[in-house]
């Protein structure tokens, strides 16, 4: 049953019951339409309360239906909401949990809104490459004013109940029983004989400097959208609320919404929404899997990564003890945490009180024994196997038996680290990405002996830390860095053959990445990967193509932004990359040394060499079972490396381009260049034969 209706006196309470989030599926819309029409015509009903059962009021339109052919769609969400608004009886939305997207628009179609104190309301459609398509761009500005509506719709961020009350988005916030309060509200409105407040009949509140408000929103959200269509469509539709009659503006909103919904961009963003949730599901792990609750955490190592990880725990309200060998290192680390929070305070993202509250979760310990009671210890020390094994041996001896020992290694074998302990079932990799308090990804690395309980615990607490956890198996570089390695290799070869860093970076930026590989290298510090390359030099096959240009930069002390020069040069203290003739000369000299005649390399080749090689390695990773689903790779690349959101991740993008085209291009480069990473992976060959894709295997 999709609706549960009960009569409380003369007020009908209609409760949406469509787990998990009461999405407005076509069946739900039909049921609501019929039920509300019936209630509207009943003499014994004076008012109506619309509420949600379970975890929330309503999570919006059913996103899954957007990819299906629209056959049984009537009534559409706008028609349902218009019908509710037309009712002559007061209709009250009683909101708990979330009212998002179509759920928020449903609430806006009701005449009044009452929210529980923990409720959140928002129009997050833009995060799915969509825009509000059921009156949100018209009713919200009429209710909260242009400026707040622009902010909410263009950011897609939800607001708390308290903020919603300030904005006038809700009429009341209640701590006590929500339904009782909503029924009382309905009775009062019905008893007073008031005409229900229909937002469609209001004007947007007047504003003096409309043009500058719109310009500011456009500069902040549309100009920076880099080819995404949804922000521009949202803005156009909101502007219509100022100049067009409600009905015409609503019709235009629908047209724009459909354009967004049908776009490849939104399909890709919706894909990411679902694979992100899929990634949390681990075969063999269920709700019944016993999980250690992480109540106390510890981090060993107070460098950049350790500090970032400790901040993640403090943000989540989990007490965390940080260990480093010296008081000086601990104090420096703690000051770095304070600096991170201070930046958030300066930008008004955090109050000073909240900053102090979060810092109060952080303890400092010079003595490792202070970590004995932690439920999880995350190691973030120097990337050296011997040091890590020694630390794990010590931790194993001193921590309580249930403690999970996790390593933040980005490249070392977690099996070998686990083997240093007597609890390999409780050892796992938790690979955070830098800066750890910002980047959403956690690559959780299962070693051979890692138990399902340990996996379940770490996957669950990734979410608690507001991260997206993806489970991967052990291999060199795990998933992200293994693929990234091949991508940067090709980028370096392109330099040897005729390109320059600024050219490659521009093409990759235009493809949609936040930065190209060379600018990223300068930001991360070229010495980091130099150290890893030196370590691996002895085992690198002699026949493998290797570009020494990055090593030569490092030999000249060019470590990237931190040394004022790397692939680019930087003004003192500056972060803006400037092409450097000295680097160009180094590159040209390398081409000469190789006897290569430099040629013009076009955009197509740069994309194909850099991005297709990623896809190829992704296919090998799937073949080897390092991850079980192509979606896991897409999530890793979206959240760890900024793969353009509107392309849905490398594997989704591959299916969009077509594997045959990708295979043919790879083969062509492989036959020309002979580099093994360009040889089409067997999985790609097989899928091409079957005329299939990664997602239609
Ligand atoms: N449609 C279909 N399924 C949805 C959904 C939706 N709108 N929202 C969530 N789900 C599904 C998820 O896929 C997941 O399914 P699974 O269990 O099979 O993996 C399940 O509901 C639970 O979702 P979460 O794991 O995300 O649960 P949380 O409790 O952490 O979060 C939520 C709940 C805040 C509602 C979050 O799911 C969310 O943000 N959902 C999307 C909200 C949204 O973007 N709404 C706008 C939709 S477009 C729209 O309304 C257009 C309109 O303008 C016409």
């Amino acid at each position: 049953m999709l609706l549960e209706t009960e009569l409380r006196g003369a007020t009908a309470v209609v409760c949406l019951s469509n787990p998990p989030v009461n999405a407005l599926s076509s069946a739900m819309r039909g049921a609501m339409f019929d039920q509300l029409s019936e209630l509207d015509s009943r003499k014994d009903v004076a008012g109506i309360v619309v509420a949600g059962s379970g975890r929330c009021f309503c999570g919006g339109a059913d996103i899954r239906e957007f990819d299906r052919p629209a056959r049984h769609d009537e009534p559409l969400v706008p028609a349902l909401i218009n019908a509710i608004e037309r009712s002559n009886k007061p209709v009250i939305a009683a909101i708990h949990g979330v009212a998002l997207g179509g759920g928020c628009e449903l609430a806006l179609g009701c005449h009044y809104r009452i929210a529980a104190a923990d409720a959140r309301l928002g129009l997050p459609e833009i995060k799915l490459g969509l825009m509000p398509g059921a009156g949100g761009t018209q009713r919200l500005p009429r209710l909260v004013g242009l400026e707040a509506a622009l902010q909410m719709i263009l950011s897609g961020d939800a607001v708390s109940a308290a903020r919603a009350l300030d904005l006038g988005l809700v009429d009341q916030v209640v701590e006590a029983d929500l339904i009782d309060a909503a029924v009382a509200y309905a009775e009062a409105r019905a008893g007073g004989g008031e005409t229900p407040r229909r937002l469609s009949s209001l004007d947007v509140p007047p504003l003096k400097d409309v043009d500058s408000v719109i310009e500011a929103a456009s500069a902040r959200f549309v100009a920076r959208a880099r080819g995404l269509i949804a922000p521009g469509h949202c803005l156009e539709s909101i502007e219509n609320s100022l100049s067009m009659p409600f009905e015409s503006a609503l019709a235009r909103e629908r047209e724009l919404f459909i354009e967004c919904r049908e776009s490849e961009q939104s399909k890709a963003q919706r894909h990411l929404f679902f694979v992100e949730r899929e990634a949390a599901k681990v075969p063999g792990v269920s709700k019944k899997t016993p999980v250690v609750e992480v109540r106390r955490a510890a981090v060993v190592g107070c460098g950049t990564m350790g500090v970032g990880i400790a901040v993640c725990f403090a943000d989540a309200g989990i007490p965390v003890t940080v260990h480093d060998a010296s008081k000086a290192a601990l104090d420096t680390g703690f000051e770095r945490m304070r600096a991170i929070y201070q930046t958030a305070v300066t930008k008004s993202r955090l109050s000073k009180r909240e900053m102090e509250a979060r810092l109060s979760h952080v303890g400092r310990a010079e003595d490792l024994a202070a970590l004995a009671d932690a439920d999880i210890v995350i190691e973030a020390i120097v990337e050296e196997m011997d040091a890590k094994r020694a630390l794990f041996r010590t931790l194993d001896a001193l921590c309580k038996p249930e403690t999970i020992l996790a390593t933040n290694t980005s490249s070392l074998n977690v099996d070998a680290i686990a083997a240093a302990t007597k609890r390999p079932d409780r050892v796992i990799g938790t690979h955070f990405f830098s800066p750890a308090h910002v980047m959403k990804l956690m690559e959780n690395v299962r070693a051979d002996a890692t138990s399902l309980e340990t996996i379940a615990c770490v996957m669950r607490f990734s979410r608690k830390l507001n991260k997206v956890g993806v489970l991967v198996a052990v291999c060199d570089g795990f998933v992200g860095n293994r693929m990234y390695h091949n991508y940067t290799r090709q980028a370096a070869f392109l330099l040897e053959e005729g390109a320059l860093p600024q050219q490659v970076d521009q093409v990759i930026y235009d493809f949609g990445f936040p930065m190209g590989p060379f600018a990223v290298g300068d930001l991360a510090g070229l010495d980091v990967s130099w150290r890893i390359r030196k370590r691996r030099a002895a085992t690198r096959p002699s026949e493998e193509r290797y570009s020494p240009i990055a090593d030569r930069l490092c030999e000249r002390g060019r470590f990237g932004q931190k040394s004022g020069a790397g692939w680019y040069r930087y003004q003192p203290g500056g972060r803006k990359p400037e092409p450097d003739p000295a680097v160009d000369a180094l590159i040209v000299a390398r081409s000469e040394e190789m006897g290569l005649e430099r040629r013009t390399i076009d955009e197509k080749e740069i994309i194909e060499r850099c991005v297709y090689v990623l896809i190829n390695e992704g296919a090998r990773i799937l073949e080897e079972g390092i991850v079980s689903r192509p979606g896991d790779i897409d999530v890793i690349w979206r959240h760890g490396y900024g793969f353009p959101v509107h392309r849905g991740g490398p594997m989704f993008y591959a299916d969009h381009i077509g594997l045959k085209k990708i295979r043919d291009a790879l083969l062509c480069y492989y036959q020309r260049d002979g580099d093994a990473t360009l040889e089409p992976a067997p999985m790609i060959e097989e899928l091409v034969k079957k005329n299939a894709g990664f997602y239609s295997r």
Side-chain angles (χ1 to χ4, degrees):
M1 208 164 44
L2 290 167
L3 296 174
E4 288 158 15
T5 303
E6 77 168 306
L7 210 55
R8 295 223 197 156
T11 303
V13 178
V14 181
C15 207
L16 280 58
S17 179
N18 186 17
V21 300
N22 297 325
L24 300 173
S25 62
S26 127
M28 172 58 107
R29 298 195 303 271
M32 284 179 77
F33 194 87
D34 293 346
Q35 176 71 98
L36 289 157
S37 311
E38 198 250 332
L39 292 171
D40 205 28
S41 63
R42 267 170 59 173
K43 292 226 161 50
D44 58 336
V45 173
I48 299 167
V49 168
V50 180
S53 65
R55 68 170 95 168
C56 65
F57 175 73
C58 175
D62 189 333
I63 309 166
R64 287 180 202 276
E65 286 187 352
F66 292 166
D67 289 322
R68 295 184 199 144
R71 273 178 301 154
H72 307 292
D73 258 344
E74 298 296 335
L76 297 172
V77 189
L80 169 69
I81 291 172
N82 288 346
I84 291 173
E85 193 187 53
R86 273 197 304 271
S87 173
N88 286 317
K89 298 170 182 176
V91 185
I92 321 299
I95 302 161
H96 79 291
V98 295
L100 294 178
C104 184
E105 291 171 302
L106 171 64
L108 290 167
C110 296
H111 305 130
Y112 308 97
R113 287 148 293 279
I114 296 195
D118 65 350
R120 288 184 305 122
L121 292 88
L123 292 167
E125 285 89 340
I126 202 161
K127 297 185 180 179
L128 297 172
L130 295 167
M131 54 174 280
T137 63
Q138 303 309 305
R139 290 193 178 91
L140 189 65
R142 284 172 163 80
L143 184 60
V144 304
L146 180 69
E147 203 164 3
L150 284 166
Q151 166 65 28
M152 279 184 70
I153 294 172
L154 288 168
S155 73
D157 293 338
V159 296
S160 66
R163 175 78 182 133
L165 189 63
D166 282 349
L167 291 171
L169 175 52
V170 298
D171 301 287
Q172 217 177 66
V173 174
V174 293
E175 298 280 351
D177 189 278
L178 178 65
I179 303 297
D180 286 352
V183 169
Y185 202 87
E187 282 169 356
R189 300 277 89 70
E194 298 166 25
T195 311
R197 184 166 59 145
R198 299 187 178 92
L199 297 181
S200 63
S201 63
L202 307 180
D203 286 331
V204 177
L207 191 68
K208 256 204 233 130
D209 44 359
V210 170
D211 289 346
S212 60
V213 166
I214 290 178
E215 255 169 48
S218 175
R220 182 158 169 223
F221 296 105
V222 184
R224 293 187 195 162
R226 300 186 56 199
L228 296 184
I229 62 169
H233 279 33
C234 285
L235 184 63
E236 177 186 333
S237 196
I238 299 168
E239 282 191 80
N240 291 342
S241 72
L242 302 169
S243 55
M244 283 165 81
F246 181 82
E247 291 304 331
S248 338
L250 199 66
R252 180 66 185 143
E253 180 196 71
R254 192 72 198 162
E255 284 171 7
L256 292 167
F257 170 79
I258 288 170
E259 271 180 33
C260 288
R261 190 188 68 189
E262 298 307 309
S263 69
E264 290 306 321
Q265 298 185 351
S266 176
K267 284 179 192 158
Q269 288 178 249
R270 279 159 12 216
H271 158 77
L272 281 169
F273 176 84
F274 287 116
V275 288
E276 202 175 299
R277 276 145 187 87
E278 187 77 19
K281 294 173 187 135
V282 177
V285 169
S286 72
K287 284 197 177 123
K288 290 189 191 136
T289 309
V291 172
V292 174
E293 194 66 36
V294 177
R295 294 204 178 84
R296 302 190 59 78
V299 176
V300 182
C302 215
T304 309
M305 288 311 286
V307 162
I309 296 169
V311 166
C312 296
F313 282 107
D315 283 348
I318 300 173
V320 57
T321 305
V322 183
H323 163 83
D324 211 310
S326 75
K327 182 172 178 311
L330 282 171
D331 289 348
T332 310
F334 192 77
E335 282 320 308
R336 276 157 81 179
M337 286 178 221
R338 183 175 282 286
I340 288 171
Y341 283 127
Q342 189 53 56
T343 307
V345 171
T346 310
K347 292 186 176 164
S348 304
R349 290 199 198 123
L350 198 71
S351 70
K352 244 190 142 65
R353 234 180 81 205
E354 186 57 27
M355 164 169 119
E356 294 305 334
R358 294 194 192 180
L359 284 170
S360 73
H361 292 305
V362 182
R364 287 172 261 187
E366 277 171 73
D367 185 356
L368 262 185
L371 278 46
D373 279 342
D375 299 306
I376 185 163
V377 179
I378 299 187
E379 162 277 308
I381 63 168
V382 59
E383 191 74 343
E384 278 169 15
M385 180 58 91
D386 290 346
K388 292 205 195 262
R389 279 175 57 89
L391 174 67
F392 271 68
R393 208 172 295 121
T394 311
L395 289 171
D396 187 32
L398 67 84
C399 288
K400 62 182 180 180
E402 311 84 86
T403 303
I404 291 176
L405 302 180
T407 168
N408 181 49
T409 181
S410 59
S411 60
L412 298 176
N413 187 321
V414 184
D415 285 316
I417 297 172
T421 73
K422 294 195 181 72
R423 62 174 91 189
D425 57 318
R426 299 199 156 267
V427 175
I428 192 165
T430 48
H431 179 205
F432 289 77
F433 285 67
S434 185
H437 61 290
V438 176
M439 300 297 284
K440 292 273 283 181
L441 179 65
M442 266 173 80
E443 252 184 348
N444 295 328
V445 189
R446 72 190 302 170
D448 276 348
T450 311
S451 68
L452 278 179
E453 288 78 3
T454 302
I455 291 171
C457 171
V458 167
M459 291 300 284
R460 191 181 290 182
F461 100 78
S462 307
R463 236 183 144 172
K464 260 201 170 159
L465 297 189
N466 199 20
K467 301 284 177 201
V468 180
V470 182
L471 188 67
V472 307
V474 174
C475 68
D476 194 4
F478 313 129
V479 173
N481 284 347
R482 171 169 159 182
M483 291 167 71
Y484 193 74
H485 174 68
N486 286 2
Y487 162 84
T488 49
R489 265 182 92 238
Q490 286 304 320
F493 298 160
L494 286 165
L495 302 186
E496 293 177 339
E497 293 164 34
L500 291 173
Q502 49 275 26
Q503 182 198 357
V504 175
D505 278 356
Q506 187 63 50
V507 170
I508 295 297
Y509 177 81
D510 291 343
F511 181 77
F513 276 96
M515 283 173 146
F518 299 109
V520 170
D522 276 2
L523 180 67
L526 300 181
D527 50 329
V528 181
S529 42
W530 189 33
R531 258 200 311 275
I532 297 175
R533 285 195 301 276
K534 280 199 275 195
R535 201 177 62 222
R536 291 182 175 164
T539 52
R540 193 168 40 242
S542 57
E543 70 284 3
E544 192 179 285
R545 182 170 173 187
Y546 180 79
S547 172
I549 304 174
D551 299 344
R552 291 177 187 172
L553 291 175
C554 292
E555 284 155 13
R556 287 163 175 74
R558 301 182 68 117
F559 296 143
Q561 285 189 14
K562 60 182 162 192
S563 63
W567 289 105
Y568 297 93
R569 63 183 172 193
Y570 300 84
Q571 294 303 329
R575 294 159 62 92
K576 190 172 172 287
E578 292 172 9
D580 189 341
V583 175
D584 297 356
L586 202 75
I587 292 168
V588 171
R590 169 65 183 162
S591 308
E592 277 167 13
E593 172 189 314
M594 292 173 79
L596 280 178
E597 191 173 329
R598 292 179 65 76
R599 60 188 169 87
T600 305
I601 298 183
D602 62 12
E603 188 180 329
K604 180 168 170 286
E605 180 168 351
I606 294 175
I607 297 287
E608 291 180 346
R609 295 267 298 276
C610 295
V611 180
Y612 290 9
V613 84
L614 272 184
I615 296 164
N616 207 27
E617 198 58 28
R620 293 204 176 94
I621 282 168
L622 273 174
E623 265 161 21
E624 292 168 26
I626 302 298
V627 288
S628 47
R629 300 164 286 224
D632 293 347
I633 298 177
D634 284 343
V635 174
I636 287 172
W637 270 78
R638 172 65 204 139
H639 290 296
Y641 302 84
F643 198 90
V645 66
H646 64 285
R647 298 192 192 273
M651 310 316 267
F652 183 84
Y653 173 70
D655 279 5
H656 170 69
I657 296 291
L659 288 189
K660 177 163 179 344
K661 200 169 157 206
I662 288 169
R663 191 277 312 263
D664 291 350
L666 283 168
L667 194 59
C668 194
Y669 294 123
Y670 174 59
Q671 283 166 349
R672 187 190 70 188
D673 301 347
D675 187 72
T677 61
L678 294 167
E679 182 178 14
M683 178 181 273
I684 294 186
E685 292 288 9
E686 259 173 52
L687 291 173
V688 170
K689 267 189 218 133
K690 288 198 279 181
N691 199 18
F694 291 118
Y695 286 95
S696 52
R697 281 185 284 162

